Amino acid sequence: MKCFHVLPIILLSIAFCSVSQAQDGRKVTTQLDVAYLNDGNPQHRLDIYYPSQAKKSLSVLFHIHGGGWRIGDRKHMQATGMFYASQGFLFITPSYRLTPEVMHPSHVEDCAAALAWVFNHVEELGGDRSRIFVSGHSAGAHLAALLGTNQKYLQKYDLRPADLAGVISVDTASFNLVSGDHERLVRRLVKKAFGKDQSTLQDASPLFQITNGVACPRFLVLNTTNRAGGVREGREFTDKLRQAGCEAQFVPVDNHSHKEMAQGMYNLSDPVAKAILPFISGD
């Protein structure tokens, strides 16, 4: 696997490689601040992590950060990226424009653009184009689920949700934005990011994008049992996917806070990582 300076100059933003050592001692190469849209917006960039000694096409985990659609950054994903790269995966994480600068559908449109960039360049990075998984935590999980269920965002790039090897949703309570049956904080964040128009809320709800007979990727849905609303929505979403003929698994996780669900992604002994690793490795 070669560093980014060998890629076509049309990418404009040239990232350099650096090598770090993960907690397990394995060497990980990183390429940071790579532009996925050449418009000069610093939020239209992504970071790349991969094992320094990779010898075969890698499965890819494209991970979307959380933060209520209004805060967060790919830079906070360093521990997650180092972990998955040390486990033998190509890990890519984008930033995207945030509320109040933008509202829906800008967040998911940015993520779609970043994901299209990955499809276009994954083989140059040593990845397997047929093994691209999308994951997200919290608001990022909502965006990942929307990319995996609504055809229109990837269609712009001649891609389909079915082109994804799988989608992993980590602890979101935002599959159904119409119901309004959410925690007070979630209701406030939804109002700011999506507004109050019912048609907009329905369009932004992954639950209402599931269509019978339309090919879809596999789904892995994880929710902490500490949030009853999240569990309810996670089960409802998983059940509807199955009814539509999609492969979907719901995993309730006990004794985890919302933050611990994110941290569990990069802990080998945590039930979150224990569910994700076999899902993306095919075990």
Side-chain angles (χ1 to χ4, degrees), residues 4-273:
F4 210 46
H5 60 265
V6 302
L7 297 184
I9 195 66
I10 195 172
L11 296 176
L12 298 181
S13 177
I14 306 300
F16 59 87
C17 295
S18 62
V19 178
S20 304
Q21 191 164 297
Q23 287 186 348
D24 60 7
R26 300 177 192 179
K27 291 184 178 179
V28 171
T29 301
T30 59
Q31 297 176 34
L32 308 179
D33 300 318
V34 179
Y36 62 84
L37 289 175
N38 292 315
D39 60 1
N41 190 323
Q43 290 175 308
H44 289 155
R45 293 177 179 267
L46 51 80
D47 291 345
I48 304 165
Y49 300 76
Y50 54 82
S52 299
Q53 303 300 321
K55 296 181 180 179
K56 62 180 181 179
S57 294
L58 303 174
S59 294
V60 182
L61 186 61
F62 175 86
H63 183 71
I64 305 170
H65 71 77
W69 308 279
R70 66 182 181 88
I71 60 173
D73 190 85
R74 69 186 185 280
K75 301 300 183 185
H76 302 157
M77 297 298 104
Q78 182 179 19
T80 314
M82 291 292 290
F83 174 82
Y84 284 93
S86 73
Q87 297 300 309
F89 301 100
L90 171 58
F91 181 92
I92 302 176
T93 182
S95 291
Y96 51 94
R97 288 172 295 166
L98 301 168
T99 298
E101 176 191 352
V102 298
M103 294 180 67
H104 175 77
S106 295
H107 320 94
V108 68
E109 288 174 343
D110 284 358
C111 292
L115 184 54
W117 184 97
V118 173
F119 270 94
N120 288 334
H121 298 287
V122 63
E123 292 172 349
E124 298 165 9
L125 293 166
D128 184 342
R129 198 175 190 272
S130 69
R131 298 283 299 167
I132 298 176
F133 295 83
V134 176
S135 66
H137 170 254
S138 193
H142 161 267
L143 296 171
L146 201 52
L147 289 174
T149 53
N150 192 317
Q151 305 277 332
K152 66 182 177 182
Y153 298 112
L154 292 178
Q155 204 168 46
K156 177 181 178 180
Y157 304 98
D158 295 321
L159 295 167
R160 304 166 302 151
D163 293 326
L164 302 172
V167 177
I168 303 162
S169 166
V170 181
D171 209 39
T172 188
S174 302
F175 293 115
N176 180 357
L177 302 180
V178 176
S179 72
D181 185 21
H182 301 103
E183 304 160 29
R184 181 179 300 177
L185 174 61
V186 175
R187 290 200 304 270
R188 185 164 69 247
L189 293 173
V190 167
K191 181 179 178 181
K192 290 181 178 180
F194 301 92
K196 296 187 293 184
D197 179 74
Q198 292 297 297
S199 62
T200 299
L201 293 172
Q202 182 162 332
D203 178 73
S205 298
L207 181 72
F208 298 114
Q209 312 312 312
I210 301 168
T211 304
N212 290 338
V214 176
C216 57
R218 298 163 57 216
F219 272 82
L220 175 65
V221 178
L222 302 101
N223 281 89
T224 173
T225 57
N226 289 0
R227 302 174 71 197
V231 170
R232 182 176 60 253
E233 285 205 22
R235 290 191 185 279
E236 182 183 17
F237 180 68
T238 304
D239 288 344
K240 190 171 181 181
L241 284 167
R242 290 172 177 164
Q243 291 164 9
C246 302
E247 184 180 344
Q249 178 185 5
F250 177 76
V251 178
V253 181
D254 294 330
N255 302 318
H256 274 50
S257 67
H258 187 56
K259 181 178 180 180
E260 287 168 341
M261 291 292 290
Q263 294 171 334
M265 287 190 66
Y266 53 87
N267 182 345
L268 271 176
S269 64
D270 193 279
V272 176

